[in-house]
Amino acid sequence: MELSDRYRMVRNRTEVICKPLITEDFVIQPAEFVSPPKWHLGHTTWFFEKLILQKFISGYKQYHSSYDYFFNSYYESLGPRVSQPDRGYFSRPSVEDVLRYRKHVDEHMDLYLSEQISEEAEILFSLGIQHEQQHQELLLMDIKYIFGFNPMYPVYSSDSAFESEEIKEKNIFIQIDGGMYTIGHCTDDFCFDNEKPAHQTYVAPFRISKTLVTNHEYLEFIEDGGYGDFRWWLDEGWRWLKENQISAPLYWRKSDGEWMHYTLAGEKPVSMKEALCHISYYEAAAFANWKQKRLPTEFEWEIAARKFEWGSRWEWTSSAYLPYPNFKPNEGPTGEYNGKFMVNQMVLRGASIATPPDHRRITYRNFFHPHRQWQYSGIRLAE
Amino acid sequence: MELSDRYRMVRNRTEVICKPLITEDFVIQPAEFVSPPKWHLGHTTWFFEKLILQKFISGYKQYHSSYDYFFNSYYESLGPRVSQPDRGYFSRPSVEDVLRYRKHVDEHMDLYLSEQISEEAEILFSLGIQHEQQHQELLLMDIKYIFGFNPMYPVYSSDSAFESEEIKEKNIFIQIDGGMYTIGHCTDDFCFDNEKPAHQTYVAPFRISKTLVTNHEYLEFIEDGGYGDFRWWLDEGWRWLKENQISAPLYWRKSDGEWMHYTLAGEKPVSMKEALCHISYYEAAAFANWKQKRLPTEFEWEIAARKFEWGSRWEWTSSAYLPYPNFKPNEGPTGEYNGKFMVNQMVLRGASIATPPDHRRITYRNFFHPHRQWQYSGIRLAE
Amino acid sequence: MELSDRYRMVRNRTEVICKPLITEDFVIQPAEFVSPPKWHLGHTTWFFEKLILQKFISGYKQYHSSYDYFFNSYYESLGPRVSQPDRGYFSRPSVEDVLRYRKHVDEHMDLYLSEQISEEAEILFSLGIQHEQQHQELLLMDIKYIFGFNPMYPVYSSDSAFESEEIKEKNIFIQIDGGMYTIGHCTDDFCFDNEKPAHQTYVAPFRISKTLVTNHEYLEFIEDGGYGDFRWWLDEGWRWLKENQISAPLYWRKSDGEWMHYTLAGEKPVSMKEALCHISYYEAAAFANWKQKRLPTEFEWEIAARKFEWGSRWEWTSSAYLPYPNFKPNEGPTGEYNGKFMVNQMVLRGASIATPPDHRRITYRNFFHPHRQWQYSGIRLAE
Amino acid sequence: MELSDRYRMVRNRTEVICKPLITEDFVIQPAEFVSPPKWHLGHTTWFFEKLILQKFISGYKQYHSSYDYFFNSYYESLGPRVSQPDRGYFSRPSVEDVLRYRKHVDEHMDLYLSEQISEEAEILFSLGIQHEQQHQELLLMDIKYIFGFNPMYPVYSSDSAFESEEIKEKNIFIQIDGGMYTIGHCTDDFCFDNEKPAHQTYVAPFRISKTLVTNHEYLEFIEDGGYGDFRWWLDEGWRWLKENQISAPLYWRKSDGEWMHYTLAGEKPVSMKEALCHISYYEAAAFANWKQKRLPTEFEWEIAARKFEWGSRWEWTSSAYLPYPNFKPNEGPTGEYNGKFMVNQMVLRGASIATPPDHRRITYRNFFHPHRQWQYSGIRLAE
């Protein structure tokens, strides 16, 4: 596909995701880890403006001098910015302003992409595309939080199939041989710096489930008193649970004796056959302990992933998010993209129903702090 | 004026205040003490629905079952509610929903007011009117905060006269005789319960300034190092100033050597002749100390107020907000209106340029915590 | 009495209070508002050294250069100091060091007092004496907290009479005439600056109870669900109670169905006839509301106090702690003694069983934040 | 050595460490991560009482019913306890009480160890011994913090050699071959559960420094503006540094232009040739980045450790603290010893000058949160 087609398609998809929103939904930030949808629209645009237009088009004039401040996320090298928990404190620029900003940048990008671009620019272009795709998933996560936090439980899309993922296969464990394996990205296709370099790792023989844990299985844990029994929990998980009075996955609540959960199609009864979603690493690890199983490492996952279906839930692994041997962050501002977050987070592998379809790779490393629940996370057991 | 005319006029004024806003402005809450404009629109409406329509119209059906939760402010007797700092976490009900809600309640109120209403209802009606007027002032305060917090400093109204108040008179002190005075509200006109009962108080002779403190006078305090000298400050004020790095009134900042302040007409150079605004009690008390003067008590203020112009700034007094002798809160839910806040707050007297014109009374007692700056507060000195 | 005798007597009493303590008790600070007994011993000594020895004895050399830092409480004019919540973070100077410091200062004071001293010095001397007496009460409060916080409930003094105060009189209300009264201190005896100047006040007729509220009466409030009914509470009181899960006076707990309370003689069953103790202003005000009575103002209290017994409990008044008309703080560092605390606190009148016997005056104004419970506070009702 | 000799020797060493302390030093807790020395004395004793005496001696009566509450550290299975940050809030049991408790338990242990004990008991006995040795190191860390926090900088031991460790060797890098290696503990000697099971790992070729980083090298980093340049820092490290105003290792300060650091022998000029100490993982990682080197993984460290000197500083590795493949926590309460902490911490390898001499193993895994500085941590670079 031509770069400009690819650009248009991805940029458009972001706006399609926002279609069901009303203006008010774009602005608020009901939790510090959530960003207002308006911010995502602006930030992804700023990324192209900052890394491509301002860099490669001589004479390009920044669209608005204060947008660096509003739309820089965490790039220390790109100057001061609104701190993450304050993103919901600004009504201006308006949604319309931001859409105009998108249009402006898109027009310039279109022009720019109509001619041959340098290799360096193409690398940054690809990063910009992947970056916007990442934010498409974040957008859905944040929209879900914004709606699911509201006691009126607004419907994002009445398409009830959305988000649901029935597990039909039997929960069998596949045997994987031990041995030396290559881990990480080794083709010429795009990947993030954290997937590289490809390297050899020894993995002992292991068994891994073909299927994700279902709501039904997780309910057994809940009903066995899992949230009240310290034996299954990491110490920090146990404290997290006590302090935040957690007793079920995010978006679940018991109403008139029935377990309900908020979905983007509205609040629904929890379907027993569907893949569990929205659990923290602490919950995933506790469940695995209770089952007398464990979570796979990210290496085991990568080795085994060709033998099972994946892609509806980001799957918690037991691996901390750390650099691969000889990891080198990108040069320049995008060196801040991944490497500086490599502490105190856990790796998730796979993809989710909220991930753009062409944004999945077997080597992809997603990562979140162990107490986060709002991503589309699930559990696959190993032993 | 007929009740229904009065009702329409006041209700309409609230919406006129919101005219310059775009949808985004209605939703956010950039500080916990601020409420989103949308919330004010809903809450004032809910007040009429809850205290009049639901009470006096048999068969009246509540507009929306969840609006109690969204729009109750602090009435324990009226059930659970969004906690104050979370009001900006909800995109729904939308601005349009809330305006529809206003229309619905207005139609029913109109119908209800077209016939003779009971004395009890009339009392609650007057309270609802005054309540909405109070929120008109809060709306302007909150809008100013929402705009003034934004580094793009949006203009609310380009009418540059708005908010400004030049002090032309000379700053002379009026002598007031000591003696027994009646304090508090004693006519049949409306007043809040906290203005009653009228009672006798002895006040020693005192002198009070005819004019408010100007920006010029306050700048002398700043330039004399007032914010860096503990001698002028209450202990809690000194700590407040250190912890929050306060070095000027709210909305002031020095830009290229010039003092600027945000006004609803945009950011402007601080005008030396205008009445100082947006200072906390701590600042007011420190300034008075530095001037070797003091703030008047609320009783002194009430006694002297016929002898000077007032109404552009709420004036901090040295009186703590406490019940008058033999104070009785209203019966029923509106008993929670004033009495339960009578601790840890200071009284302000007068009115401000943001106060609705017919919402001023010489006996009016406004009150805020001593660290609050976002009200249109000023200083009048006594000695 | 000679100054030096008075000095020795007061200084000695402080050490007598500490007699039952073991070294460990001197050091800890189990709550931020508590000070370690060691700190009281050092601070009261530093007060004499700083305000008298260093000022009036030429050539006096400070005992230890770092003691300014350790033992300054809150005097901004006397330099940097350990912040109040950190006082329990220092094991050195040791208890022995501090006792040596006391001895050193006492010897120099003794010498100094053996000759005629200036009027200025005598004023500061008196302040130092009164200051130490105030700390004697604080010492008992803090020791009680240190012991009462410990689940082993150590006994300070087995003298079971200590702290108890049976109310034998009948709970009758005395009628006091309205009129002009003189409030404040007007003799030449010592008083704090906050008791002055004496001034005229008009007080309406009122009735006030001859007796303090008993544990029995307060238990009726508890058993009537007083801590669960918002109607009796100030808004900030209600939030304080929820956030801190308060359901009884400090030191009370229900054990095997019986109400127990920690006393300096150990944990004992709550005696029904004794004067209630250790309640916050919020609790006092809620109790008064529930009883359909009110707390007296500090002026009413001062006017009526000759007509009832007082002195076993500090009595919460409904008056905020504010300066008297024409209040002038002392000159110099002791100007920070009282005035800078005149905001957000409530006045208590009387004295308590922990107050040194010659440290009581009818004009004495004690003050605490409304949520504090660890002082020996009680309730006297008015109407 | 006989068990009872080993017991006596280790128990005695704990008390020897406390010899230089005065009573006050035993009680305080100047930071939440520090424990009062008194607590260490009690907790290590309780460990033997709880896991051996109460379990294996029929009829053994607990020394004091409340000591479970005071001296349980984090064993959920052993009941409620003082929360970690509150350990310094208790003056009783006194130091003498705790020493009596030690004596009591020691006498019973002595008796018990005089006869043949079961294998199960011997395993717990060894654990108790190792546990006490771990607390000997913690004691030194906590004493150093208690003293180093005090602006009078008390001397623990004037032996100036203590803690110092001059690096004399040249800073050369050793080449280690890649290949399969066995990691973890595989002999019959004691080890903690987290060192097992031994397992195969593939490690790529690497180079590792023979020597620890010196103060001199670290000062170059400081003087190059290392603490002010975000490029070297993990994002969480950068925020930690900003929020806590960190600009040097713990215990360092610049005094009159000279770098000083607190040591247990008092405050001393920083010696350039000595091994750097008291840096957080964030600092270690930033320094390595700046040097264009990296920290070794814990596996690299274990493989290479026979080729260099180690034992004066715990060495930060780049490995997160995670279970080894097929890790099984101990059965019973000691299952809470290690496994439940395996999240959000980093592994340190080696030992320190505060580690008891017979408490070192090449497979030993120490772990701390990445922001902690008070352990005797250092840096060894790899590439």
Side-chain angles (χ1 to χ4, degrees), chain D residues 49-264:
Chain D
E49 186 185 41
K50 203 74 196 166
L51 295 181
I52 295 182
L53 298 185
Q54 281 191 230
K55 189 157 175 192
F56 297 103
I57 301 184
S58 76
Y60 176 83
K61 234 182 111 271
Q62 198 179 6
Y63 181 75
H64 194 296
S65 63
S66 74
Y67 283 14
D68 275 352
Y69 181 72
F70 283 116
F71 294 127
N72 181 359
S73 51
Y74 53 63
Y75 297 91
E76 297 285 341
S77 52
L78 298 176
R81 62 212 161 278
V82 171
S83 80
Q84 149 86 28
D86 292 359
R87 288 177 187 161
Y89 289 169
F90 300 94
S91 54
R92 321 289 181 98
S94 68
V95 176
E96 223 177 80
D97 289 338
V98 175
L99 291 174
R100 256 195 302 271
Y101 176 43
R102 284 184 77 87
K103 199 150 169 256
H104 173 92
V105 165
D106 286 353
E107 283 165 6
H108 283 77
M109 281 297 293
D110 204 49
L111 215 63
Y112 177 65
L113 295 172
S114 67
E115 299 185 23
Q116 184 64 34
I117 69 172
S118 69
E119 199 185 334
E120 187 192 356
E122 196 168 334
I123 288 169
L124 288 166
F125 171 79
S126 293
L127 185 65
I129 289 294
Q130 299 274 335
H131 174 256
E132 181 129 2
Q133 289 183 315
Q134 289 188 306
H135 279 276
Q136 288 170 2
E137 173 139 13
L138 287 166
L139 254 173
L140 281 164
M141 286 159 54
D142 289 350
I143 290 167
K144 185 166 184 179
Y145 195 91
I146 287 166
F147 283 16
F149 184 83
N150 193 308
M152 299 197 300
Y153 300 122
V155 170
Y156 168 76
S157 153
S158 59
D159 175 0
S160 70
F162 194 77
E163 291 194 303
S164 95
E165 181 72 15
E166 285 219 1
I167 307 288
K168 281 163 203 145
E169 272 191 280
K170 265 216 144 165
N171 173 12
I172 48 167
F173 280 72
I174 322 158
Q175 176 72 39
I176 308 285
D177 292 340
M180 293 296 297
Y181 288 92
T182 301
I183 295 295
H185 192 85
C186 41
T187 74
D188 283 348
D189 296 349
F190 176 87
C191 74
F192 289 115
D193 54 5
N194 65 3
E195 300 168 50
K196 288 192 294 194
H199 60 284
Q200 294 294 104
T201 299
Y202 172 77
V203 169
F206 66 100
R207 285 154 42 85
I208 191 164
S209 173
K210 283 203 78 163
T211 59
L212 290 169
V213 168
T214 62
N215 288 332
H216 174 72
E217 290 173 277
Y218 198 78
L219 251 173
E220 288 179 337
F221 171 64
I222 295 179
E223 281 164 9
D224 191 44
Y227 281 88
D229 191 336
F230 69 86
R231 287 175 303 161
W232 317 125
W233 296 83
L234 287 162
D235 185 61
E236 297 191 7
W238 185 245
R239 271 189 273 161
W240 165 78
L241 165 168
K242 293 279 181 205
E243 276 164 28
N244 299 282
Q245 297 175 281
I246 307 288
S247 57
L250 184 61
Y251 302 126
W252 286 38
R253 62 170 188 140
K254 216 168 188 168
S255 172
D256 292 331
E258 187 180 16
W259 279 105
M260 307 291 288
H261 65 160
Y262 177 74
T263 74
L264 285 173

Side-chain angles (χ1 to χ4, degrees), chain B residues 195-227:
Chain B
E195 300 168 49
K196 287 193 295 194
H199 60 283
Q200 294 294 102
T201 300
Y202 172 77
V203 169
F206 66 100
R207 284 154 42 84
I208 190 164
S209 174
K210 282 204 78 163
T211 58
L212 291 169
V213 168
T214 62
N215 288 332
H216 174 71
E217 291 172 277
Y218 199 77
L219 252 173
E220 289 178 338
F221 171 64
I222 295 179
E223 281 164 9
D224 191 42
Y227 282 88

